[in-house]
Amino acid sequence: MSKNTNPIFVYHGFDRNLDSISGNIQAANINIARAQIQALGISVERIKAKPMFNINLITQKQLTPDEIMIFSRQLSTMLKANLSLMHALDVTALSTEKSHIKQFILPLKSELAAGNSFSATLKNRPEVFNDLYCNLVSAGETTGNLDTILDRIATSQEKTQQLKSSVKKALTYPIMVLIVACIVVSVLLIKIVPSFESTFTGMGAELPQFTQLIVNLSELAQAHWLLIVGLTALITTLFSVAAKKSQRVAFYIDKLVLGVPVIGKVLLLAAVSRFARTLATTYGAGIPMLDALDASGKAAGNRYIIKAIEDVAFNVSQGSLLGNALHENGNFPPLLIQLAKVGEEAGELEQMINKAAETYERSVDDAVSALTSALEPIIMSFLAVVVGSVMVAMYLPIFKIGSAM
């Protein structure tokens, strides 16, 4: 009996009860593996080939999102210049100085030479090219517009990376300052306050209530700092694991985050922008509206918005126009709804949705700039108040003794 040499695929998804489930399956290729898993009633969220032990695979560097964007743009440019796909891949490999990109392109050429389509070749590399990318390439091959599709993919990826950078900028600054504030307060309570406390004990004077409160906090921090750090790490880890493993928890976290003042608005605009950009790209590539909504919904990046897009897709499948379905849902901003309605009436839906995406991308940039400018003095004032309060509490007994003399 011959040994099964098919690759093993590792997957993660959710069963019919929305419970997280992971496992391995052996199949001839990733598409067959996905079909077999779905036949078991499992909704596949992630799937990739399980790497075999190979020193080359261990040391091989994967392509970054920026490198994938440049790869797409270069192929598009050369295909528009009437080069064949094989020739375009040759030129792309020769034009790069990065060895891992050259090593990535060579197997692509081999599979294409063996008769595989470009989209099928890319689907064999799910760790680099997601389903959306592969489906767009497949649509480009079918319609004969692969050069245009690759250009749209590159533009969409470029905008998405810029958007992610803006959102990261909005979130990183306050988080880092909050961490610094926690470190500063911890040092004050554990190292500085005790030295003052010993001085107060020598004076034998009764401490003001505010000072006594800080001293009590200091004693608590000194006695139980390890427990506090451990509990914080444990709660953070449990929270993170729950968000990854449970679709329900992730859904409610994403919904809660959108309600955070100022930051929630930025995240909502970013999610809607990604949705609009991807919808315009997929629908403009000739992908049917329902499939385009499915792909663009996953690109939104927020599970609450993803669920809203799924509801919109359902209404569209029942005969509603996109603009009306967005309006009835109630989770989407008025501009997107109006542009969708105008685009449907004028037969220019792709252009109108693209305009919405560009508008929201600019809005995110403006909101991030405004947020950063507003947060800087607020955070500095917060730090000054926290540190100043501790120091005032330490000097209050001295002032009290001085006034009594």
Side-chain angles (χ1 to χ4, degrees):
M1 186 174 179
S2 62
K3 184 179 178 181
N4 188 351
T5 59
N6 287 334
I8 297 173
F9 295 91
V10 182
Y11 66 88
H12 173 76
F14 300 92
D15 61 19
R16 292 186 177 92
N17 296 322
L18 295 181
D19 292 326
S20 177
I21 186 169
S22 301
N24 301 332
I25 193 167
Q26 196 166 16
N29 57 55
I30 192 169
N31 295 323
I32 294 175
R34 186 186 296 273
Q36 290 177 351
I37 297 167
Q38 289 173 341
L40 298 174
I42 299 171
S43 174
V44 181
E45 187 178 66
R46 296 189 304 273
I47 181 170
K48 63 179 181 179
K50 184 177 182 180
M52 298 176 63
F53 181 76
N54 185 323
I55 191 64
N56 293 327
L57 289 175
I58 295 173
T59 58
Q60 185 176 357
K61 183 181 177 182
Q62 292 292 352
L63 269 64
T64 66
D66 285 338
E67 288 170 344
I68 296 172
M69 183 267 292
I70 294 170
F71 171 77
S72 305
R73 184 79 73 193
Q74 288 178 328
L75 283 185
S76 170
T77 301
M78 286 180 281
L79 290 175
K80 286 181 178 179
N82 293 323
L83 272 69
S84 68
L85 181 57
M86 291 289 284
H87 194 181
L89 288 170
D90 278 330
V91 174
T92 302
L94 290 172
S95 63
T96 182
E97 297 179 356
K98 298 179 179 179
S99 59
H100 70 281
I101 297 180
K102 295 180 187 288
Q103 294 171 2
F104 176 79
I105 292 175
L106 289 175
L108 291 180
K109 290 174 55 185
S110 299
E111 292 184 35
L112 287 171
N116 290 339
S117 66
F118 190 40
S119 58
T121 301
L122 299 182
K123 283 182 180 179
N124 290 331
R125 293 157 177 81
E127 69 282 358
V128 179
F129 300 103
N130 57 26
D131 289 341
L132 174 60
Y133 193 108
C134 297
N135 291 339
L136 286 171
V137 169
S138 178
E141 289 177 313
T142 302
T143 59
N145 294 319
L146 184 57
D147 55 346
T148 303
I149 294 299
L150 286 170
D151 184 59
R152 287 179 178 175
I153 291 173
T155 300
S156 179
Q157 289 177 323
E158 183 179 16
K159 297 292 185 181
T160 299
Q161 289 302 110
Q162 291 173 354
L163 199 60
K164 286 181 179 179
S165 177
S166 296
V167 173
K168 186 180 291 186
K169 180 182 176 183
L171 298 178
T172 300
Y173 183 69
I175 290 173
M176 291 303 298
V177 172
L178 186 60
I179 292 173
V180 170
C182 291
I183 293 173
V184 169
V185 171
S186 299
V187 170
L188 286 173
L189 292 176
I190 295 173
K191 296 293 184 181
I192 306 300
V193 173
S195 61
F196 279 90
E197 185 183 1
S198 60
T199 302
F200 299 151
T201 303
M203 293 179 180
E206 183 180 352
L207 299 179
Q209 289 185 349
F210 186 44
T211 303
Q212 188 62 55
L213 174 63
I214 298 299
V215 169
N216 291 341
L217 288 174
S218 173
E219 291 174 350
L220 180 66
Q222 292 175 71
H224 303 292
W225 70 268
L226 190 59
L227 178 62
I228 293 170
V229 172
L231 281 175
T232 302
L234 178 62
I235 291 170
T236 303
T237 302
L238 289 175
F239 193 75
S240 176
V241 170
K244 290 180 180 178
K245 296 292 185 181
S246 173
Q247 199 169 28
R248 289 191 187 92
V249 172
F251 174 84
Y252 286 112
I253 289 174
D254 285 352
K255 182 179 179 180
L256 185 65
V257 165
L258 292 179
V260 175
V262 185
I263 292 178
K265 181 182 177 182
V266 174
L267 296 177
L268 175 62
L269 289 174
V272 172
S273 175
R274 285 193 294 265
F275 160 63
R277 173 68 62 185
T278 309
L279 179 61
T281 302
T282 50
Y283 185 71
I287 293 176
M289 176 57 75
L290 291 177
D291 292 335
L293 283 170
D294 179 62
S296 55
K298 294 174 183 176
N302 182 288
R303 291 184 186 273
Y304 181 75
I305 299 300
I306 291 172
K307 178 63 170 62
I309 295 168
E310 289 174 353
D311 294 340
V312 168
F314 176 78
N315 288 339
V316 170
S317 70
Q318 299 301 305
S320 293
L321 293 174
L322 177 63
N324 293 334
L326 291 170
H327 176 74
E328 291 168 5
N329 186 268
N331 286 296
F332 298 92
L335 178 63
L336 176 63
I337 295 170
Q338 292 303 318
L339 287 177
K341 288 182 177 180
V342 170
E344 287 176 314
E345 291 173 0
E348 297 181 348
L349 182 59
E350 177 195 352
Q351 293 87 334
M352 292 297 104
I353 296 297
N354 252 328
K355 286 184 178 180
E358 291 170 2
T359 300
Y360 291 127
E361 285 161 358
R362 287 194 296 269
S363 297
V364 169
D365 289 336
D366 294 341
V368 168
S369 298
L371 179 63
T372 304
S373 301
L375 280 177
E376 188 167 348
I378 293 173
I379 290 173
M380 290 299 104
S381 300
F382 170 75
L383 277 175
V385 169
V386 170
V387 176
S389 297
V390 175
M391 299 312 297
V392 167
M394 294 301 97
Y395 281 101
L396 271 178
I398 299 175
F399 295 151
K400 183 179 179 181
I401 294 172
S403 64
M405 292 178 65

